[in-house]
Amino acid sequence: MKQVAAPGAGDLEAKIAALRAHPAFPQAARNMAIGLTGFYRGGPLLNWLMDDRARVVLSHVVLHCHFARDPADPSSGLTPTRIKQLCREFDLCSPGRATAMVSLMRFAGYVAPDPDADDRRRRPLVATPKLLDLLRPRWRSHFVSGVPVFPDGAVLADRLDDPVFVRAFVAAMFARYEDGFRLIMYTPGLGLFGDRSAGMMIASTFLAAGAEDDTVPPSRPFAISISELSRRFGVSRAHVAKMLRDAADEGQLVRAGDNGEEITLTPVLAEALSVFYANAFIYFFDSAREAATTLDANARASDESRQRSA
């Protein structure tokens, strides 16, 4: 099995190109798209507050703040103020919407007041096990999907059961995002979908919609149902229909058939989706491999220290 060089060194665009050239990448991307859309959880209120990408990033930001708490630093940790600051810094949403999302996360049981807090004025919070139970299967799906290209995907998926690894993995993902990494880099054509509720989920559905003997993304026409997409992703039929009209107007897809439900992707959108999924694989595998390498090196150093002391 051909092994793609571990993401982390060199030019990101070159790594994206190398990954897309791998013969097993189309199947890996299809697997990832199916997994991503299968785990989707949305709804009218969530969709109104934030688009899909912003909600995913917010959940990782919340976990990072939770794990980054320093008992010696009372300003650290997970607080509504810190979340608003990071949402503004990363241009995820307004402070008001950040506050609303944190409130929804509290209501749903994903975050809770910190029971050990001394200063209640800061309203410190903690991420609950429920949040990790929500995210861990999604991460595991990404790694398992990549196995046809990255043979260590199964090993990395298994390491998600280790809380120490999860903490290091979240820190590595956050550091990349803080340094300017974005999943939608090099894919300006996805802006129409990425900035709309359920947009990336609908675009991901397109990527996996072709016949088994078609390319990924599909190069031949395929059928979709506006009503089904509406129900599946918690948005209105009008919202889906307008997205399709706008994408057609921008030359990203061609519509035919009854109600325009026969879709053909243009090379512009097909290229953008392929690049997006390559970038996503690199992001997750890069972060996980960095976490694993650091933890393994620390473990070896600790073992060597104990042996010298024995």
Side-chain angles (χ1 to χ4, degrees), residues 216-239:
V216 179
S219 54
R220 302 201 299 262
F222 56 88
I224 56 99
S225 165
I226 291 175
S227 296
E228 173 58 25
L229 291 173
S230 169
R231 286 192 299 270
R232 183 177 181 186
F233 298 121
V235 291
S236 69
R237 293 182 75 259
H239 177 80

mmCIF file of all heavy atoms in Angstrom, residues 216-239:
data_model
loop_
_atom_site.group_PDB
_atom_site.id
_atom_site.type_symbol
_atom_site.label_atom_id
_atom_site.label_comp_id
_atom_site.label_asym_id
_atom_site.label_seq_id
_atom_site.Cartn_x
_atom_site.Cartn_y
_atom_site.Cartn_z
ATOM 1 N N VAL A 216 -14.922 10.452 -8.126
ATOM 2 C CA VAL A 216 -15.242 11.134 -6.868
ATOM 3 C C VAL A 216 -14.415 12.412 -6.819
ATOM 4 O O VAL A 216 -13.183 12.345 -6.822
ATOM 5 C CB VAL A 216 -14.895 10.249 -5.643
ATOM 6 C CG1 VAL A 216 -15.223 10.987 -4.350
ATOM 7 C CG2 VAL A 216 -15.639 8.923 -5.692
ATOM 8 N N PRO A 217 -15.093 13.579 -6.823
ATOM 9 C CA PRO A 217 -16.529 13.835 -6.964
ATOM 10 C C PRO A 217 -17.043 13.354 -8.327
ATOM 11 O O PRO A 217 -16.270 13.203 -9.274
ATOM 12 C CB PRO A 217 -16.619 15.363 -6.844
ATOM 13 C CG PRO A 217 -15.364 15.796 -6.172
ATOM 14 C CD PRO A 217 -14.318 14.834 -6.638
ATOM 15 N N PRO A 218 -18.361 13.132 -8.434
ATOM 16 C CA PRO A 218 -18.923 12.557 -9.670
ATOM 17 C C PRO A 218 -18.778 13.498 -10.863
ATOM 18 O O PRO A 218 -18.932 14.714 -10.734
ATOM 19 C CB PRO A 218 -20.391 12.320 -9.313
ATOM 20 C CG PRO A 218 -20.671 13.215 -8.155
ATOM 21 C CD PRO A 218 -19.396 13.328 -7.394
ATOM 22 N N SER A 219 -18.491 12.913 -12.005
ATOM 23 C CA SER A 219 -18.402 13.696 -13.238
ATOM 24 C C SER A 219 -19.655 13.553 -14.086
ATOM 25 O O SER A 219 -19.873 14.333 -15.014
ATOM 26 C CB SER A 219 -17.171 13.264 -14.047
ATOM 27 O OG SER A 219 -17.187 11.866 -14.276
ATOM 28 N N ARG A 220 -20.496 12.549 -13.760
ATOM 29 C CA ARG A 220 -21.746 12.351 -14.496
ATOM 30 C C ARG A 220 -22.908 12.931 -13.692
ATOM 31 O O ARG A 220 -22.804 13.150 -12.479
ATOM 32 C CB ARG A 220 -21.975 10.861 -14.745
ATOM 33 C CG ARG A 220 -20.857 10.183 -15.514
ATOM 34 C CD ARG A 220 -21.340 8.895 -16.165
ATOM 35 N NE ARG A 220 -21.819 7.920 -15.197
ATOM 36 C CZ ARG A 220 -21.089 6.903 -14.725
ATOM 37 N NH1 ARG A 220 -19.836 6.738 -15.122
ATOM 38 N NH2 ARG A 220 -21.608 6.042 -13.861
ATOM 39 N N PRO A 221 -24.045 13.174 -14.342
ATOM 40 C CA PRO A 221 -25.213 13.691 -13.611
ATOM 41 C C PRO A 221 -25.681 12.688 -12.551
ATOM 42 O O PRO A 221 -25.535 11.478 -12.699
ATOM 43 C CB PRO A 221 -26.267 13.868 -14.709
ATOM 44 C CG PRO A 221 -25.495 13.933 -15.979
ATOM 45 C CD PRO A 221 -24.297 13.063 -15.793
ATOM 46 N N PHE A 222 -26.241 13.219 -11.468
ATOM 47 C CA PHE A 222 -26.818 12.375 -10.422
ATOM 48 C C PHE A 222 -28.086 13.068 -9.908
ATOM 49 O O PHE A 222 -28.256 14.285 -10.060
ATOM 50 C CB PHE A 222 -25.828 12.155 -9.272
ATOM 51 C CG PHE A 222 -25.314 13.427 -8.653
ATOM 52 C CD1 PHE A 222 -25.980 14.044 -7.605
ATOM 53 C CD2 PHE A 222 -24.139 14.012 -9.122
ATOM 54 C CE1 PHE A 222 -25.513 15.214 -7.044
ATOM 55 C CE2 PHE A 222 -23.652 15.194 -8.562
ATOM 56 C CZ PHE A 222 -24.342 15.797 -7.518
ATOM 57 N N ALA A 223 -28.959 12.295 -9.306
ATOM 58 C CA ALA A 223 -30.235 12.829 -8.829
ATOM 59 C C ALA A 223 -30.167 13.149 -7.349
ATOM 60 O O ALA A 223 -29.550 12.428 -6.560
ATOM 61 C CB ALA A 223 -31.351 11.821 -9.090
ATOM 62 N N ILE A 224 -30.795 14.259 -6.984
ATOM 63 C CA ILE A 224 -30.943 14.620 -5.573
ATOM 64 C C ILE A 224 -32.417 14.956 -5.337
ATOM 65 O O ILE A 224 -33.194 15.132 -6.287
ATOM 66 C CB ILE A 224 -30.051 15.813 -5.170
ATOM 67 C CG1 ILE A 224 -30.321 17.048 -6.059
ATOM 68 C CG2 ILE A 224 -28.594 15.424 -5.254
ATOM 69 C CD1 ILE A 224 -31.220 18.065 -5.471
ATOM 70 N N SER A 225 -32.806 15.037 -4.075
ATOM 71 C CA SER A 225 -34.158 15.449 -3.715
ATOM 72 C C SER A 225 -34.058 16.648 -2.797
ATOM 73 O O SER A 225 -33.463 16.565 -1.708
ATOM 74 C CB SER A 225 -34.902 14.309 -3.000
ATOM 75 O OG SER A 225 -36.062 14.805 -2.349
ATOM 76 N N ILE A 226 -34.610 17.771 -3.232
ATOM 77 C CA ILE A 226 -34.577 18.971 -2.398
ATOM 78 C C ILE A 226 -35.307 18.723 -1.084
ATOM 79 O O ILE A 226 -34.846 19.134 -0.005
ATOM 80 C CB ILE A 226 -35.199 20.160 -3.156
ATOM 81 C CG1 ILE A 226 -34.292 20.562 -4.325
ATOM 82 C CG2 ILE A 226 -35.426 21.343 -2.223
ATOM 83 C CD1 ILE A 226 -34.852 21.651 -5.208
ATOM 84 N N SER A 227 -36.408 18.017 -1.139
ATOM 85 C CA SER A 227 -37.169 17.724 0.087
ATOM 86 C C SER A 227 -36.357 16.872 1.047
ATOM 87 O O SER A 227 -36.354 17.113 2.264
ATOM 88 C CB SER A 227 -38.480 17.020 -0.259
ATOM 89 O OG SER A 227 -39.322 17.859 -1.017
ATOM 90 N N GLU A 228 -35.661 15.877 0.525
ATOM 91 C CA GLU A 228 -34.857 14.994 1.373
ATOM 92 C C GLU A 228 -33.692 15.757 2.002
ATOM 93 O O GLU A 228 -33.385 15.584 3.190
ATOM 94 C CB GLU A 228 -34.343 13.811 0.555
ATOM 95 C CG GLU A 228 -33.354 12.918 1.296
ATOM 96 C CD GLU A 228 -33.914 12.330 2.572
ATOM 97 O OE1 GLU A 228 -35.152 12.180 2.691
ATOM 98 O OE2 GLU A 228 -33.104 12.015 3.475
ATOM 99 N N LEU A 229 -33.018 16.595 1.225
ATOM 100 C CA LEU A 229 -31.928 17.392 1.777
ATOM 101 C C LEU A 229 -32.443 18.333 2.862
ATOM 102 O O LEU A 229 -31.782 18.539 3.884
ATOM 103 C CB LEU A 229 -31.237 18.187 0.666
ATOM 104 C CG LEU A 229 -30.436 17.373 -0.356
ATOM 105 C CD1 LEU A 229 -29.949 18.278 -1.478
ATOM 106 C CD2 LEU A 229 -29.257 16.678 0.310
ATOM 107 N N SER A 230 -33.618 18.889 2.646
ATOM 108 C CA SER A 230 -34.235 19.771 3.633
ATOM 109 C C SER A 230 -34.483 19.044 4.945
ATOM 110 O O SER A 230 -34.128 19.532 6.032
ATOM 111 C CB SER A 230 -35.544 20.335 3.071
ATOM 112 O OG SER A 230 -36.286 20.986 4.081
ATOM 113 N N ARG A 231 -35.089 17.869 4.864
ATOM 114 C CA ARG A 231 -35.376 17.091 6.082
ATOM 115 C C ARG A 231 -34.099 16.616 6.755
ATOM 116 O O ARG A 231 -33.974 16.691 7.977
ATOM 117 C CB ARG A 231 -36.258 15.877 5.725
ATOM 118 C CG ARG A 231 -37.695 16.208 5.423
ATOM 119 C CD ARG A 231 -38.531 14.943 5.369
ATOM 120 N NE ARG A 231 -38.072 14.027 4.325
ATOM 121 C CZ ARG A 231 -38.520 14.040 3.081
ATOM 122 N NH1 ARG A 231 -39.443 14.927 2.714
ATOM 123 N NH2 ARG A 231 -38.054 13.170 2.190
ATOM 124 N N ARG A 232 -33.182 16.152 5.968
ATOM 125 C CA ARG A 232 -31.972 15.548 6.534
ATOM 126 C C ARG A 232 -31.117 16.545 7.299
ATOM 127 O O ARG A 232 -30.529 16.213 8.341
ATOM 128 C CB ARG A 232 -31.153 14.916 5.404
ATOM 129 C CG ARG A 232 -29.911 14.191 5.865
ATOM 130 C CD ARG A 232 -29.225 13.540 4.680
ATOM 131 N NE ARG A 232 -28.033 12.815 5.099
ATOM 132 C CZ ARG A 232 -27.179 12.247 4.261
ATOM 133 N NH1 ARG A 232 -27.413 12.292 2.950
ATOM 134 N NH2 ARG A 232 -26.110 11.615 4.715
ATOM 135 N N PHE A 233 -31.056 17.769 6.793
ATOM 136 C CA PHE A 233 -30.142 18.746 7.379
ATOM 137 C C PHE A 233 -30.837 19.885 8.121
ATOM 138 O O PHE A 233 -30.193 20.849 8.518
ATOM 139 C CB PHE A 233 -29.205 19.292 6.296
ATOM 140 C CG PHE A 233 -28.343 18.222 5.679
ATOM 141 C CD1 PHE A 233 -28.381 17.967 4.315
ATOM 142 C CD2 PHE A 233 -27.519 17.438 6.472
ATOM 143 C CE1 PHE A 233 -27.595 16.972 3.750
ATOM 144 C CE2 PHE A 233 -26.729 16.442 5.913
ATOM 145 C CZ PHE A 233 -26.765 16.203 4.551
ATOM 146 N N GLY A 234 -32.138 19.763 8.318
ATOM 147 C CA GLY A 234 -32.840 20.717 9.178
ATOM 148 C C GLY A 234 -32.934 22.123 8.636
ATOM 149 O O GLY A 234 -32.888 23.093 9.411
ATOM 150 N N VAL A 235 -33.044 22.259 7.327
ATOM 151 C CA VAL A 235 -33.217 23.579 6.715
ATOM 152 C C VAL A 235 -34.451 23.533 5.820
ATOM 153 O O VAL A 235 -34.975 22.465 5.508
ATOM 154 C CB VAL A 235 -31.975 23.994 5.890
ATOM 155 C CG1 VAL A 235 -30.786 24.264 6.804
ATOM 156 C CG2 VAL A 235 -31.613 22.927 4.858
ATOM 157 N N SER A 236 -34.913 24.696 5.397
ATOM 158 C CA SER A 236 -36.127 24.737 4.589
ATOM 159 C C SER A 236 -35.843 24.333 3.144
ATOM 160 O O SER A 236 -34.708 24.415 2.660
ATOM 161 C CB SER A 236 -36.723 26.140 4.611
ATOM 162 O OG SER A 236 -35.891 27.048 3.902
ATOM 163 N N ARG A 237 -36.910 23.911 2.453
ATOM 164 C CA ARG A 237 -36.781 23.590 1.038
ATOM 165 C C ARG A 237 -36.361 24.835 0.255
ATOM 166 O O ARG A 237 -35.569 24.751 -0.688
ATOM 167 C CB ARG A 237 -38.097 23.047 0.479
ATOM 168 C CG ARG A 237 -38.500 21.693 1.031
ATOM 169 C CD ARG A 237 -39.800 21.197 0.392
ATOM 170 N NE ARG A 237 -39.570 20.717 -0.976
ATOM 171 C CZ ARG A 237 -39.841 21.411 -2.071
ATOM 172 N NH1 ARG A 237 -40.368 22.625 -1.983
ATOM 173 N NH2 ARG A 237 -39.606 20.905 -3.267
ATOM 174 N N ALA A 238 -36.904 25.987 0.665
ATOM 175 C CA ALA A 238 -36.556 27.235 -0.020
ATOM 176 C C ALA A 238 -35.063 27.536 0.123
ATOM 177 O O ALA A 238 -34.419 28.033 -0.812
ATOM 178 C CB ALA A 238 -37.388 28.383 0.539
ATOM 179 N N HIS A 239 -34.514 27.240 1.300
ATOM 180 C CA HIS A 239 -33.090 27.469 1.547
ATOM 181 C C HIS A 239 -32.246 26.589 0.621
ATOM 182 O O HIS A 239 -31.285 27.071 0.004
ATOM 183 C CB HIS A 239 -32.778 27.156 3.018
ATOM 184 C CG HIS A 239 -31.333 27.282 3.386
ATOM 185 N ND1 HIS A 239 -30.733 28.493 3.643
ATOM 186 C CD2 HIS A 239 -30.368 26.333 3.535
ATOM 187 C CE1 HIS A 239 -29.458 28.296 3.945
ATOM 188 N NE2 HIS A 239 -29.205 26.995 3.890
#
